[in-house]
Amino acid sequence: MAEDQVGPNSEEKETLPFEIEDFLDHLTLERRLSSNTKRNYGHSLERFFKWMRMDSECPISPGDVTKAHARSYIVEAQAIYSRRTLRNHISGLRSFFKFCQTRGWTEANPFYNLTLPKPDKPLPKLLSQEQVKNLLEQPKANTGKKGKKRNEFIHLRDLMILELLYGAGLRVSELVGLDYGHLDDKRATVRVVGKGQKERVCPIGQVALRTIGKFRKHYAKDSSHDSPIVINRRGGRLSVRSVQSMLKKYLRSAQLPDDLTPHKLRHSFATHMLDNGADMRTVQELLGHESLSTTQVYTHVSVSRLKKAHMLAHPRA
């Protein structure tokens, strides 16, 4: 964007304090901030001083703005902007008035130390049970035409990865760190080394166990105690980045959002467990969360789904 297009347009400049133009120049010339930042700060200042002039025909200067004005603006702006956008606006205003203080144009910063609404905490992105089923069908459909043995290796290995990420709720780092010594065939569990080197035991289910068994029998170059379960073609341990790339490929082929990470399969695991009757303490243990509050976000996801289903299905919703 051209420099003269950044910030308030020429028609607005006449009604805005001259200090704004000096501040915007300061952002690029002295602080070396991007043109996008300059434009966003300019828009925030333009909106605020338009609001200030709603009850006055006279030009408003920075020195006219009080803390009461700042508080009122924050209250009214909450009805217009999201919490995140509002916080960005106030950050720009706070920087502007700090700049005015350093130039001696204002005695105080009216936006300093004001309480702002906490930013919205986004609910975790996840896949529905039907979407997960579709995703798990992709390895077989995407093995290509490079020979039957290579096809089967890719199919089984990638299916095993997806089954473990979703079936056991593993972190991707935990997945690639699994050795055959961590696997308990009789109990269909894996011993996982999680954050802080804390160990936990995770059920993986019979479906994933059969896939691991078949892959181990036909394609594991070494299935001794310390050998990795998830390997590349050379038999080495697969990297986290490789798992991330593999998942993106299958998300695209399943026509699902490819910005979903392996961690989102963990979110899906937790939410589907709760949707189907698991208690939160159990899910906490399976995920390896130290605090129950970390697990509670998945309860919010489940409740939001219930509310949506109620609104769609109930005649008096």
Side-chain angles (χ1 to χ4, degrees):
M1 180 176 289
E3 188 68 21
D4 59 358
Q5 291 179 297
V6 178
N9 60 48
S10 58
E11 293 179 3
E12 294 293 338
K13 285 180 182 178
E14 296 180 3
T15 62
L16 294 175
F18 74 88
E19 293 91 344
I20 291 179
E21 196 64 27
D22 288 355
F23 171 66
L24 296 178
D25 289 340
H26 161 74
L27 293 180
T28 50
L29 298 177
E30 296 181 41
R31 293 181 59 184
R32 305 288 182 181
L33 298 183
S34 70
S35 60
N36 283 339
T37 301
K38 179 178 178 179
R39 182 179 66 248
N40 292 338
Y41 277 24
H43 288 166
S44 297
L45 290 164
E46 179 184 338
R47 289 166 187 150
F48 174 71
F49 279 98
K50 275 187 176 180
W51 177 84
M52 283 288 296
R53 289 196 63 209
M54 285 172 60
D55 297 325
S56 173
E57 293 295 326
C58 301
I60 302 292
S61 72
D64 297 324
V65 181
T66 66
K67 222 171 186 65
H69 290 133
R71 288 196 187 97
S72 296
Y73 179 70
I74 290 171
V75 170
E76 292 188 29
Q78 288 182 61
I80 304 171
Y81 305 116
S82 70
R83 293 183 180 187
R84 187 176 299 277
T85 300
L86 177 60
R87 292 177 73 90
N88 289 339
H89 283 340
I90 302 307
S91 175
L93 290 165
R94 191 183 292 123
S95 294
F96 168 71
F97 281 100
K98 182 179 179 181
F99 171 79
C100 290
Q101 273 186 292
T102 62
R103 296 299 192 273
W105 297 332
T106 61
E107 292 184 6
N109 186 339
F111 286 91
Y112 175 72
N113 208 27
L114 288 183
T115 301
L116 297 177
K118 291 182 179 180
D120 297 315
K121 190 172 184 179
L123 295 175
K125 290 183 179 180
L126 49 91
L127 299 175
S128 69
Q129 294 182 50
E130 192 61 34
Q131 287 173 323
V132 171
K133 182 180 177 182
N134 183 13
L135 180 65
L136 292 173
E137 291 170 353
Q138 298 310 306
K140 187 173 183 179
N142 285 267
T143 48
K145 298 180 180 180
K146 298 182 180 179
K148 183 177 179 181
K149 195 166 183 66
R150 178 175 175 80
N151 282 349
E152 188 70 7
F153 172 87
I154 293 172
H155 168 218
L156 283 175
R157 187 208 53 194
D158 293 357
L159 179 60
M160 179 174 66
I161 289 171
L162 296 176
E163 290 279 8
L164 285 168
L165 286 173
Y166 174 68
L170 302 183
R171 300 179 178 94
V172 66
S173 58
E174 296 169 347
L175 167 81
V176 299
L178 287 178
D179 295 333
Y180 281 106
H182 298 141
L183 179 66
D184 187 332
D185 290 334
K186 293 182 179 178
R187 297 181 181 178
T189 62
V190 287
R191 179 169 48 83
V192 177
V193 181
K195 288 185 176 180
Q197 295 300 302
K198 292 184 178 179
E199 292 190 0
R200 69 184 190 278
V201 175
C202 296
I204 61 174
Q206 292 298 323
V207 176
L209 185 63
R210 286 195 295 270
T211 304
I212 293 172
K214 189 174 181 181
F215 183 82
R216 183 178 191 176
K217 179 180 179 180
H218 296 288
Y219 297 104
K221 294 183 179 297
D222 183 357
S223 61
S224 59
H225 188 273
D226 295 324
S227 298
I229 293 177
V230 182
I231 60 172
N232 55 33
R233 287 289 296 174
R234 298 182 299 277
R237 194 181 299 277
L238 203 64
S239 68
V240 168
R241 186 178 293 275
S242 295
V243 175
Q244 293 168 338
S245 299
M246 177 271 292
L247 178 61
K248 283 187 179 295
K249 177 181 73 174
Y250 292 135
L251 285 167
R252 291 190 194 104
S253 66
Q255 297 184 328
L256 296 170
D258 66 0
D259 62 340
L260 292 171
T261 63
H263 208 72
K264 300 305 183 286
L265 285 179
R266 179 172 158 88
H267 293 330
S268 303
F269 159 83
T271 304
H272 298 167
M273 288 283 292
L274 290 166
D275 284 346
N276 288 287
D279 66 89
M280 195 154 52
R281 284 287 182 188
T282 300
V283 175
Q284 178 193 0
E285 290 183 24
L286 292 173
L287 292 173
H289 286 163
E290 189 167 331
S291 170
L292 188 62
S293 62
T294 310
T295 315
Q296 284 175 334
V297 66
Y298 301 110
T299 307
H300 301 155
V301 175
S302 294
V303 170
S304 68
R305 284 186 168 191
L306 289 174
K307 288 173 69 176
K308 185 177 180 180
H310 181 266
M311 288 182 66
L312 292 173
H314 198 282
R316 298 181 70 84

